[in-house]
Amino acid sequence: MAINHTPFFVEIFNKFTKQFTKELLVDAESYDNAIQKTISIAGIDPLNFDIKAQEASIEQATGWLEEKFPSGEFKHVVLDEENGVYELIYNPMGNIY
């Protein structure tokens, strides 16, 4: 789980309800590449969802990938490790755990 390029935090919102859907960490070469990886690897339809990406530091991304729940499980799900796409896990109430 190493960041090889530039990390981007990607937030996904429903276009119609404006509700937050999920947050990803994407290791990408550029902003456009992060959006493209989100669409293709995470299966996000850009017709139904707004996708916003923000560049992050390597330290932020690494810290995010190392965070664990009290149970010892990581606070993210690996969607595609080879392409560097990770999803942040939320609790059932929708708040960051």
Side-chain angles (χ1 to χ4, degrees):
M1 289 188 288
I3 302 296
N4 299 319
H5 301 291
T6 304
F8 287 88
F9 286 116
V10 179
E11 294 179 321
I12 301 164
F13 296 88
N14 184 297
K15 258 187 190 175
F16 308 105
T17 64
K18 304 299 181 198
Q19 288 184 320
F20 176 79
T21 303
K22 63 175 75 176
E23 184 174 14
L24 307 173
L25 173 64
V26 180
D27 182 14
E29 296 171 4
S30 66
Y31 174 88
D32 292 332
N33 184 246
I35 299 297
Q36 186 59 43
K37 282 186 176 185
T38 300
I39 292 168
S40 62
I41 294 171
I44 302 301
D45 181 1
L47 298 175
N48 294 317
F49 296 94
D50 286 325
I51 304 167
K52 298 177 183 179
Q54 182 177 349
E55 190 173 328
S57 69
I58 297 287
E59 293 79 23
Q60 283 178 309
T62 303
W64 191 77
L65 289 174
E66 292 173 352
E67 281 188 55
K68 293 184 180 184
F69 288 110
S71 66
E73 294 180 47
F74 284 105
K75 288 187 175 183
H76 68 275
V77 174
V78 178
L79 298 181
D80 186 337
E81 188 168 11
E82 185 177 324
N83 287 296
V85 181
Y86 309 93
E87 180 181 348
L88 179 63
I89 298 174
Y90 285 84
N91 72 14
M93 296 301 293
N95 300 321
I96 296 175
Y97 202 77

